[in-house]
Amino acid sequence: MLKISEARPNKRIISKAAHIIRYGGTVIFPTETVYGLGANAFDESAVLKIFKAKSRPKDNPLIVHIADVGWLSRVVEEIPERFEPIFESVWPGPITFVMRKSKSIPDCVTAGLNKVSVRIPSNRIALSLIKASGVPIAAPSANMATRPSPTKAQHIMEEMKGKVDMILDGGQSAYGIESTIVDITSKVPTVLRPGPFTIDELRKILGNVHYQKQNRSTGKPTAPGMKYKHYSPSKPLFLVEKSSMKKIIDFCVKEKIGVVAICSKETSMEINYKNAIILGSESDMYQIARNLFDSFRKLDISDAEVGLIQSFEENGVGAAVMNRINKATGFSKVDETDSFLSLFTKRRK
Ligand code: TXA
Ligand code: MG
């Protein structure tokens, strides 16, 4: 693991990492969303190392990262003309587009689908690495399957140490949640995963956009990977309405259940409880997003038995935040002490 600065990525480190990618190895690198676990997207045996390192099911496709819009023709069958100006305006950035796949991309990258997802990251370390490698880099988030995506090098050391050839530590991820994914092969572009690039921003540039919120009752996954348990801490975590937080905490204290509250600065002031992990202020949902996955890992290493996370408004990036919270809590929302106790007892067994 090597430290590298985003302001001025060290050329020797980048060229070492690029060498590993070109020769079929794996490198964990920072992006502006979360850390990625990368390999040469054209090299099937290198890509298989990603699945192995993460214990990722083979039916879950990977995102291909490129350095420049000019590289698109190397990974997609056909560049959809009407989207060219859009690519130029949003990339590099936290948005991924799903397009028809080129034959040069091995089937294992797309899990046998005829579509490939592509993104140009804006993090300068990521961009320098892709450029220096000279090949597109397939990279999922650099966590073990089902765990929260890593947003700090320390998260990677917790579970990926010894499983890859190199780790680049570029500090904390700027957004802290994964990119927005939009399928543009259908007539109306469809959001498969909400992310830092918001639905409102998308509608401004794309016009009509489909977005079907994933919920417990339909449960229908929007992207292949969304069917899996995801982003989860190991300890039980429950979603709680802000107004019920105090009541459930008081109950836990009375019953001697060790509990941590994951909440905004504003909520923490209201509940006035010492065992709180503060995500940031509700006036800056990007800050809440940035600290979200770190809070799940903090819950796991705390002494508490259970976490309660508050609910947020689903405006702007709040939609992506709530998508991750819903998946992490398995859509289990509790607002009464009875329902909390019965769900918690079930999880405890
Ligand atoms: O921000 C990000 O997107 C990060 C960084 C590293 O770029 N990457 C990331 O990759 O989050 P991953 O593999 O953890 O999540 C990719 C999601 C999965 O749910 C996968 O099923 C979906 O994208 N996906 C990938 N290729 C797809 C395709 N061809 N069609 C539909 N969904 C696809
Ligand atoms: Mg992931």
Side-chain angles (χ1 to χ4, degrees):
M1 172 145 117
L2 295 170
K3 270 205 192 321
I4 179 163
S5 112
E6 193 188 350
R8 259 209 271 151
N10 180 301
K11 287 205 180 97
R12 279 200 15 233
I13 297 178
I14 290 293
S15 105
K16 220 171 168 171
H19 185 89
I20 293 174
I21 295 286
R22 267 200 309 279
Y23 288 90
T26 49
V27 175
I28 292 181
F29 61 97
T31 85
E32 71 279 23
T33 57
V34 300
Y35 277 76
L37 195 178
N40 178 355
F42 291 145
D43 180 341
E44 178 169 8
S45 69
V47 170
L48 291 174
K49 290 180 188 167
I50 298 176
F51 286 92
K52 183 153 182 249
K54 278 183 60 105
S55 300
R56 182 177 176 106
K58 294 265 171 47
D59 65 353
N60 193 359
L62 310 178
I63 295 175
V64 172
H65 299 70
I66 58 174
D68 193 277
V69 180
W71 289 28
L72 259 185
S73 57
R74 301 168 70 189
V75 298
V76 306
E77 188 178 63
E78 187 186 10
I79 303 169
E81 217 175 291
R82 93 162 167 108
F83 289 99
E84 272 178 278
I86 288 160
F87 298 148
E88 297 285 356
S89 74
V90 301
W91 277 341
I95 180 160
T96 300
F97 290 105
V98 179
M99 287 171 263
R100 300 262 164 237
K101 148 190 179 317
S102 143
K103 289 194 184 63
S104 55
I105 297 289
D107 286 338
C108 63
V109 171
T110 60
L113 300 173
N114 57 7
K115 300 178 193 178
V116 62
S117 53
V118 188
R119 158 167 125 82
I120 305 182
S122 64
N123 179 290
R124 292 189 55 203
I125 301 164
L127 270 181
S128 317
L129 173 63
I130 306 164
K131 272 189 201 139
S133 305
V135 291
I137 298 184
S141 50
N143 49 283
M144 291 302 284
T146 81
R147 295 280 298 153
S149 298
T151 57
K152 290 177 177 174
Q154 173 205 329
H155 301 162
I156 294 158
M157 292 312 270
E158 282 163 19
E159 59 193 43
M160 301 307 292
K161 198 177 162 193
K163 294 185 175 164
V164 292
D165 297 309
M166 191 184 221
I167 299 168
L168 298 178
D169 173 2
Q172 185 173 4
S173 310
Y175 289 107
I177 52 171
E178 308 82 352
S179 63
T180 307
I181 305 180
V182 189
D183 187 339
I184 52 172
T185 62
S186 47
K187 210 157 164 209
V188 178
T190 304
V191 176
L192 305 184
R193 180 176 70 186
F197 203 97
T198 66
I199 312 280
D200 290 341
E201 287 173 293
L202 272 174
R203 292 203 164 121
K204 265 187 214 139
I205 55 167
L206 291 175
N208 192 7
V209 166
H210 272 312
Y211 171 54
Q212 169 81 60
K213 200 182 126 185
Q214 195 182 2
N215 61 38
R216 200 227 289 258
S217 56
T218 64
K220 197 172 167 318
T222 44
M226 301 299 264
K227 72 168 176 266
Y228 292 106
K229 188 174 155 67
H230 229 132
Y231 315 124
S232 321
S234 311
K235 292 197 180 149
L237 176 67
F238 295 99
L239 176 61
V240 181
E241 206 54 61
K242 233 173 121 155
S243 51
S244 314
M245 200 92 173
K246 181 81 183 143
K247 176 173 70 188
I248 312 260
I249 290 172
D250 287 346
F251 173 78
C252 289
V253 172
K254 190 175 103 235
E255 298 294 320
K256 299 199 163 48
I257 300 169
V259 62
V260 163
I262 304 178
C263 60
S264 67
K265 195 175 78 191
E266 291 81 2
T267 305
S268 120
M269 267 149 50
E270 271 170 45
I271 60 177
N272 188 24
Y273 177 58
K274 66 177 188 319
N275 248 338
I277 300 172
I278 296 170
L279 296 169
S281 166
E282 277 168 43
S283 63
D284 179 5
M285 283 305 289
Y286 282 95
Q287 189 188 14
I288 305 264
R290 187 151 56 238
N291 294 318
L292 187 66
F293 289 146
D294 185 53
S295 77
F296 295 170
R297 288 171 184 269
K298 279 189 176 138
L299 164 66
D300 277 343
I301 57 178
S302 76
D303 297 330
E305 284 180 84
V306 58
L308 305 177
I309 186 162
Q310 83 167 79
S311 172
F312 292 95
E313 296 208 19
E314 305 206 16
N315 308 325
V317 75
V321 167
M322 282 310 294
N323 168 276
R324 305 311 188 269
I325 293 177
N326 280 324
K327 299 222 60 170
T329 54
F331 298 91
S332 49
K333 188 153 182 259
V334 292
D335 283 310
E336 295 303 330
T337 51
D338 298 355
S339 55
F340 166 76
L341 187 61
S342 87
L343 282 170
F344 177 57
T345 315
K346 244 190 243 162
R347 268 296 306 263
R348 209 183 205 174
K349 273 185 204 149

